[in-house]
Amino acid sequence: MAENLFCECFGAENVSRRDIAVDAVLGGTGIGIKTFVEGTASQKIAEFDKDSGFTRIFDDLKIVQEVAKRRNFRLEKAARSLGLTEMIYHYTVRYDGLIRIFECPMHPIKIDGISYVTRTGETISFTDGINSYKFSLSKNTLYMDFDLSDPIAELPVKIMQDASNSLVELYESKFGTVSFSSPDDEGKMEELEIAEVLPPNPYLSDAVVLPLFSVKRKDGKQIRYVPEASGMNQWNAAGRPRHPREVYISVPRYIHEQHPGFFPPSTQSFDLEIPGGKYLNAKLCQQGDKALMSNPNSALGEWLLGKLFDLPERKLLKYELMEEIKVNPH
């Protein structure tokens, strides 16, 4: 709700559903949005996979250095993929009868400035000379202490004691009586699967996910890989001279079967929006409309290989890098 409200008020792009370090984008600024109550200024800023391996590192300083490295990489990934020039936190703090709004830079952790590393149980505390952090080994979660000394705005508010009833009254004043259940229906809602109760997710009906890798089977196992001379490494194909950023994104047959008409026909080009509010001229190519390419054919590669993956020219993209920065469909 906080992300939706922020984007509605400021006309920002909501990216909170992506696995990325910011929640909204406004111009070239990435914004992390936080809401919390007084006395809880230590807030989660990053959560890592359960199998991240931090517990296998026995030196506390090395643990926080590794945490910092991974946190900084996520910030770099967000900046590259969204075309950001700066990143900030925008946080709203609720006090008794008052809310205060703050903003501060979203700094990367200064690894060579890490000091005062102490451990209490499963929590390691440290500072980098700019901000203070805590890392929970049991939750694989990084927290930061947010500064509450200099608000950019302060507003008196009345906190509803019974918000749900107030919302129902507001709804009924506009649309008529609402009923959540009847005596005959009591108990039935608990038997329904959540997918039966909630409406379909509209995002899934007007979007497709195109894999940037291929899959082969070896010894009964599926292996994911990026072909060395096609797709994201099309620049490395034999034959004619190619631009070092020439790529295409495969459009598998099942995409056409499951989403007929999603893409314009191959005779028609279209505007392809990429993060940062930029557009590429694109169209489907190759037999069976199995490739999505840009015009010029290097433009898509400049964004994907150059900015998203941060690869130098003529270096092969490997699936291991996609896994490392979590650029894949699962």
Side-chain angles (χ1 to χ4, degrees):
M1 180 61 70
E3 291 89 347
N4 289 333
L5 285 172
F6 180 92
C7 293
E8 181 73 19
C9 290
F10 293 101
E13 177 187 1
N14 192 332
V15 295
S16 59
R17 291 194 176 193
R18 305 185 190 181
D19 182 17
I20 205 159
V22 297
D23 300 302
V25 175
L26 185 59
T29 301
I31 304 154
I33 299 169
K34 299 286 183 185
T35 61
F36 50 92
V37 298
E38 180 186 14
T40 59
S42 183
Q43 290 290 309
K44 178 176 73 173
I45 61 170
E47 190 170 1
F48 301 92
D49 295 337
K50 291 182 179 179
D51 59 352
S52 295
F54 297 119
T55 56
R56 295 191 291 272
I57 304 174
F58 298 103
D59 183 282
D60 289 349
L61 175 59
K62 290 182 178 179
I63 290 176
V64 297
Q65 287 174 336
E66 181 63 23
V67 169
K69 177 183 174 182
R70 299 190 191 188
R71 167 61 176 168
N72 292 350
F73 187 82
R74 291 185 180 185
L75 296 184
E76 293 171 8
K77 171 188 170 184
R80 290 198 308 266
S81 62
L82 297 174
L84 305 177
T85 56
E86 68 171 342
M87 289 182 281
I88 66 170
Y89 284 110
H90 175 97
Y91 48 110
T92 302
V93 185
R94 191 175 81 229
Y95 298 78
D96 185 17
L98 186 73
I99 62 171
R100 290 184 175 132
I101 301 172
F102 303 81
E103 287 183 352
C104 71
M106 188 183 295
H107 289 297
I109 300 174
K110 189 177 180 182
I111 297 178
D112 59 2
I114 291 176
S115 61
Y116 303 106
V117 180
T118 60
R119 182 197 281 235
T120 303
E122 291 293 291
T123 300
I124 304 175
S125 302
F126 66 99
T127 180
D128 66 346
I130 302 173
N131 293 298
S132 295
Y133 301 90
K134 296 180 181 69
F135 180 68
S136 169
L137 284 163
S138 60
K139 299 179 180 179
N140 273 4
T141 299
L142 178 66
Y143 300 83
M144 188 180 89
D145 293 342
F146 283 84
D147 183 7
L148 304 183
S149 63
D150 188 20
I152 61 173
E154 184 174 290
L155 303 168
V157 295
K158 180 180 179 181
I159 304 298
M160 293 180 178
Q161 298 303 312
D162 191 348
S164 57
N165 278 340
S166 298
L167 289 171
V168 170
E169 291 173 4
L170 177 63
Y171 182 91
E172 290 181 340
S173 70
K174 289 181 174 291
F175 303 108
T177 303
V178 60
S179 176
F180 294 107
S181 64
S182 66
D184 293 336
D185 291 332
E186 286 185 3
K188 291 184 179 180
M189 289 294 286
E190 295 181 0
E191 301 172 3
L192 294 175
E193 294 291 336
I194 191 68
E196 298 177 68
V197 178
L198 297 176
N201 184 350
Y203 176 80
L204 298 179
S205 66
D206 62 356
V208 298
V209 176
L210 301 180
L212 302 183
F213 56 85
S214 298
V215 181
K216 60 184 177 183
R217 186 177 295 276
K218 183 178 181 180
D219 299 330
K221 297 181 180 180
Q222 286 190 356
I223 299 175
R224 298 184 175 198
Y225 69 102
V226 181
E228 292 190 356
S230 62
M232 296 300 295
N233 292 317
Q234 173 69 3
W235 58 268
N236 194 42
R240 61 174 174 81
R242 300 177 187 273
H243 191 283
R245 292 301 195 201
E246 181 178 338
V247 303
Y248 67 84
I249 299 177
S250 296
V251 185
R253 184 173 61 185
Y254 72 83
I255 293 291
H256 293 298
E257 293 173 349
Q258 295 178 6
H259 302 270
F262 179 85
F263 290 102
S266 58
T267 55
Q268 179 182 339
S269 62
F270 56 90
D271 289 334
L272 176 66
E273 184 179 7
I274 64 173
K278 298 181 180 179
Y279 291 85
L280 305 180
N281 182 270
K283 64 181 298 187
L284 295 184
C285 303
Q286 300 187 12
Q287 185 176 1
D289 294 344
K290 64 180 181 180
L292 173 62
M293 300 186 71
S294 63
N295 182 21
N297 57 21
S298 60
L300 192 57
E302 292 286 359
W303 170 53
L304 287 170
L305 297 180
K307 293 185 178 179
L308 179 60
F309 293 108
D310 195 27
L311 284 173
E313 290 187 353
R314 303 193 183 281
K315 182 173 182 178
L316 291 172
L317 174 63
K318 301 286 188 178
Y319 182 74
E320 289 74 15
L321 177 60
M322 297 173 58
E323 281 282 87
E324 183 179 347
I325 66 173
K326 298 186 182 299
V327 180
N328 56 57
H330 58 266

